[in-house]
């Protein structure tokens, strides 16, 4: 049994918690479906629009089935289809083994967080070792706002959306600018680090 499963089992055996869940089960079921479905879908749509607003040409913003990412022509080799060699992607990073909604990640709730992560294609998975061997480049990325997570081999920009602003924005397509400011700020930081990303790509490509 995993740590998360052990924790859940302990909580389920706590009388006060069990009573609260049972008493509120109808509302919990309804709200979770909204959070995991429509509201999280809305959030990703608004994040995508915010990425596009902050990414000038020649940067491009693309959608996946579950997220969005920022790319640049120099990061895409001409002989390979797909996202390219590197990109900046909206990702959810959980510090536990639970499934979380995009809404929870956006506001940093329940052990999860939202990031704009520097990603590389599988064939270039050794990029982190190259970065660790060039501490000057790592330092420059940190100065641009990037966090470098050695334990999980991740390079990312944290995004934390204020819950009260997000609550006010939902579910309007016309009232999200203030809430999405952290997304635009992270995008601008990522774009400003284009020289450092290019330098890392040069190291990785050899």
């Amino acid at each position: 049994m995993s740590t998360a499963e052990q924790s859940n089992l302990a909580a389920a055996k706590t009388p006060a918690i069990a009573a609260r869940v049972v008493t509120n089960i109808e509302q919990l079921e309804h709200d979770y479906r909204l959070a995991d479905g429509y509201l999280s879908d809305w959030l990703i749509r608004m994040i995508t629009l915010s990425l596009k607003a902050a990414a000038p040409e020649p940067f491009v913003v693309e959608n996946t089935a579950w997220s969005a990412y920022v790319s640049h022509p120099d990061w895409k080799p001409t002989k390979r289809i797909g996202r390219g060699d590197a990109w900046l992607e909206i990702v959810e990073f959980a510090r536990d083994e639970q499934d979380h909604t995009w809404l929870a990640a956006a506001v940093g709730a329940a052990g999860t967080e939202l990031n704009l992560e520097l990603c590389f294609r599988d064939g270039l998975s050794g990029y982190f070792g190259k970065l660790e061997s060039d501490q000057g480049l790592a330092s420059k990325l940190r100065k641009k706002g990037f966090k470098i997570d050695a334990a999980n081999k991740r390079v990312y920009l944290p995004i934390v959306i204020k819950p009260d602003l997000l609550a006010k924005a939902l579910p309007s397509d016309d009232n999200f600018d203030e809430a999405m400011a952290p997304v635009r700020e992270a995008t601008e930081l990522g774009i400003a680090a284009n020289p450092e990303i290019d330098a890392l790509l040069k190291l990785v490509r050899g």
Side-chain angles (χ1 to χ4, degrees):
M1 184 180 292
S2 69
T3 302
E5 289 171 332
Q6 291 173 350
S7 177
N8 287 341
L9 180 60
K13 289 182 176 180
T14 303
I17 294 176
R20 185 183 71 221
V21 171
V22 172
T23 301
N24 296 290
I25 190 62
E26 183 174 2
Q27 192 67 50
L28 287 170
E29 287 277 340
H30 180 264
D31 289 350
Y32 184 79
R33 289 192 184 99
L34 289 179
D36 191 46
Y38 174 78
L39 294 180
S40 282
D41 291 344
W42 176 91
L43 176 65
I44 289 298
R45 188 168 71 251
M46 294 305 101
I47 285 174
T48 302
L49 289 174
S50 298
L51 291 174
K52 290 179 177 179
E57 294 184 353
F59 290 91
V60 293
V61 176
E62 304 284 352
N63 290 89
T64 70
W66 59 89
S67 185
Y69 64 94
V70 180
S71 186
H72 187 281
D74 291 344
W75 304 347
K76 290 188 174 185
T78 57
K79 296 181 180 180
R80 186 178 298 106
I81 61 172
R83 299 187 198 181
D85 284 346
W87 59 91
L88 292 163
E89 184 170 356
I90 292 291
V91 301
E92 182 238 340
F93 181 74
R95 301 194 179 279
D96 56 29
E97 299 171 14
Q98 305 283 4
D99 290 328
H100 299 282
T101 65
W102 280 115
L103 285 176
V107 300
T112 188
E113 59 189 53
L114 193 67
N115 301 152
L116 184 63
E117 184 169 337
L118 177 59
C119 300
F120 287 78
R121 64 177 173 84
D122 289 344
L124 299 178
S125 59
Y127 80 94
F128 200 87
K130 296 282 189 180
L131 180 59
E132 286 187 312
S133 68
D134 190 332
Q135 285 303 302
L137 180 55
S139 178
K140 289 179 181 178
L141 282 169
R142 288 191 180 97
K143 286 179 180 178
K144 291 289 178 73
F146 279 86
K147 306 293 183 183
I148 299 178
D149 179 356
N152 295 290
K153 296 184 178 180
R154 300 170 61 240
V155 181
Y156 66 94
L157 293 156
I159 298 172
V160 181
I161 297 173
K162 293 182 179 179
D164 58 335
L165 294 180
L166 187 57
K168 289 177 183 177
L170 284 164
S172 170
D173 286 3
D174 303 316
N175 190 32
F176 64 89
D177 283 350
E178 188 176 6
M180 293 294 116
V183 176
R184 294 192 301 276
E185 290 167 4
T187 307
E188 290 165 358
L189 289 172
I191 287 171
N194 189 28
E196 289 75 21
I197 295 173
D198 285 347
L200 180 54
L201 261 176
K202 186 177 180 179
L203 283 177
V204 174
R205 286 168 171 166

